Amino acid sequence: MFKYFIPLLLLAASCKEGHKADYEVQAELQLIDTLNFRLQTVKGWIDQIRLEELQERKDIINHNLEYIESQYVERGFKLDTGTALLVDEYKSYGKMYKRAADSFKPIVMELEELFIQLKTLKESAYSKDYQKETFLKYFNKEKADVIKLYDYATTVQKPVIETDLSFERAEGKIEAIAEKLKNGEEPVSENRMVK
């Protein structure tokens, strides 16, 4: 009876160690999944508005502003307060689209690299290639990189998506002003104060 007792104790101890290892693997995978969720959010922003569309909008804004400004100067029209505010708003969209277009490729490249690194880290968690401390060291480095990219994309890509409808309204008003200028009329803002 005693000859079976020691092997049973060793088996029970290894089962406890196996459950602990499974728990650690699950905890490590959950940590990685939180980072993957942030990357998926950034990817969603990138997928919503393509680089070609950003560049096209930036070019249209520049063209419209150059045309309107040249026509106002050439004809000696005065810019009323409402139109001036609209032009400033429209210029701010131009700056936003330029920044988003210029940062698009670097964000995509960093995003792809981080997806690969997280996939590698996930595979390592499954195979238990690293001790817990080593895993946490690599995880914390990836976490810092993911948060940095997420924060950057939040300030560059997300505003483009959030202001899309406002941009379209402003663009419609700017194009109406440009159309009046083409017809030789002086545009009057709907917000213009009557004396």
Side-chain angles (χ1 to χ4, degrees):
M1 180 85 169
F2 286 109
K3 69 179 183 178
Y4 297 115
F5 184 69
I6 293 178
L8 283 175
L9 283 177
L10 291 174
L11 181 64
S14 69
C15 286
K16 284 184 181 178
E17 187 64 36
H19 288 302
K20 181 182 175 189
D22 288 344
Y23 175 75
E24 284 180 5
V25 168
Q26 291 306 313
E28 290 172 356
L29 293 175
Q30 285 177 349
L31 289 172
I32 294 167
D33 286 344
T34 61
L35 298 183
N36 265 322
F37 178 77
R38 282 191 183 226
L39 290 182
Q40 288 295 339
T41 302
V42 173
K43 185 179 182 315
W45 295 333
I46 293 291
D47 290 345
Q48 280 187 9
I49 190 159
R50 307 301 307 153
L51 177 59
E52 297 79 20
E53 188 176 351
L54 290 170
Q55 290 173 332
E56 181 181 330
R57 286 184 177 189
K58 181 182 70 163
D59 294 342
I60 289 170
I61 290 169
N62 289 337
H63 173 75
N64 286 342
L65 287 173
E66 285 174 10
Y67 178 76
I68 288 172
E69 288 173 359
S70 70
Q71 290 298 307
Y72 266 83
V73 169
E74 186 179 302
R75 295 178 185 193
F77 293 152
K78 298 279 186 213
L79 204 60
D80 63 85
T81 306
T83 304
L85 290 172
L86 177 62
V87 167
D88 285 345
E89 177 187 354
Y90 199 59
K91 282 181 182 178
S92 71
Y93 291 126
K95 290 176 186 175
M96 186 185 343
Y97 284 114
K98 179 183 180 342
R99 188 170 180 220
D102 292 348
S103 66
F104 192 89
K105 286 182 181 176
I107 288 175
V108 169
M109 290 171 51
E110 181 71 13
L111 188 64
E112 289 173 356
E113 186 177 318
L114 287 171
F115 272 128
I116 291 169
Q117 290 171 347
L118 287 182
K119 181 181 177 191
T120 303
L121 193 59
K122 194 173 215 175
E123 289 168 358
S124 297
Y126 275 122
S127 61
K128 294 300 290 170
D129 290 347
Y130 304 121
Q131 295 294 325
K132 184 177 179 179
E133 295 77 23
T134 308
F135 170 82
L136 288 175
K137 182 179 116 183
Y138 286 122
F139 172 79
N140 287 329
K141 186 208 175 301
E142 299 307 322
K143 179 181 175 183
D145 291 343
V146 168
I147 289 173
K148 183 178 175 183
L149 178 67
Y150 180 85
D151 290 346
Y152 183 63
T154 299
T155 62
V156 175
Q157 297 302 122
K158 187 178 177 186
V160 168
I161 295 160
E162 290 176 340
T163 60
D164 194 49
L165 292 176
S166 299
F167 163 74
E168 288 177 8
R169 281 192 296 273
E171 184 176 42
K173 291 175 183 177
I174 289 287
E175 289 180 354
I177 290 170
E179 191 61 35
K180 283 185 178 184
L181 289 169
K182 284 179 188 171
N183 295 333
E185 303 172 37
E186 181 177 2
V188 179
S189 169
E190 52 200 52
N191 298 334
R192 188 178 198 175
M193 296 181 151
V194 178
K195 292 183 181 178

